[in-house]
């Protein structure tokens, strides 16, 4: 049960990171490069936090 404390937020943050990166790529057609950079940066931060939480959610192996 303790692993779910980290797994659920990791999954939600991963989905939010993907949405942010995808939204950033959609701004390229409007040539809004500051919005692209901002959304990709936010996506990268959220993805790194999600990866850290997912690593904590994995059970220890010997």
């Amino acid at each position: 049960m303790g692993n779910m404390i980290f797994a659920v937020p990791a999954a939600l943050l991963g989905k939010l990171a993907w949405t942010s990166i995808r939204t950033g790529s959609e701004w390229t057609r409007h040539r809004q490069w500051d919005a692209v950079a901002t959304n990709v940066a936010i996506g990268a931060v959220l993805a790194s936090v999600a990866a850290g939480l997912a690593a904590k959610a994995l059970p220890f192996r010997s």
Side-chain angles (χ1 to χ4, degrees):
M1 183 66 181
N3 292 342
M4 292 301 288
I5 292 173
F6 295 115
V8 171
L12 293 175
L13 282 173
K15 174 69 174 166
L16 189 60
W18 170 247
T19 303
S20 180
I21 292 171
R22 189 182 67 222
T23 302
S25 67
E26 291 175 2
W27 279 106
T28 57
R29 80 177 95 168
H30 303 293
R31 298 188 189 273
Q32 297 290 324
W33 302 112
D34 56 338
V36 173
T38 301
N39 282 328
V40 170
I42 290 170
V45 169
L46 292 175
S48 66
V49 172
L53 288 174
K56 289 182 180 181
L58 294 175
F60 290 108
R61 304 223 188 255
S62 302

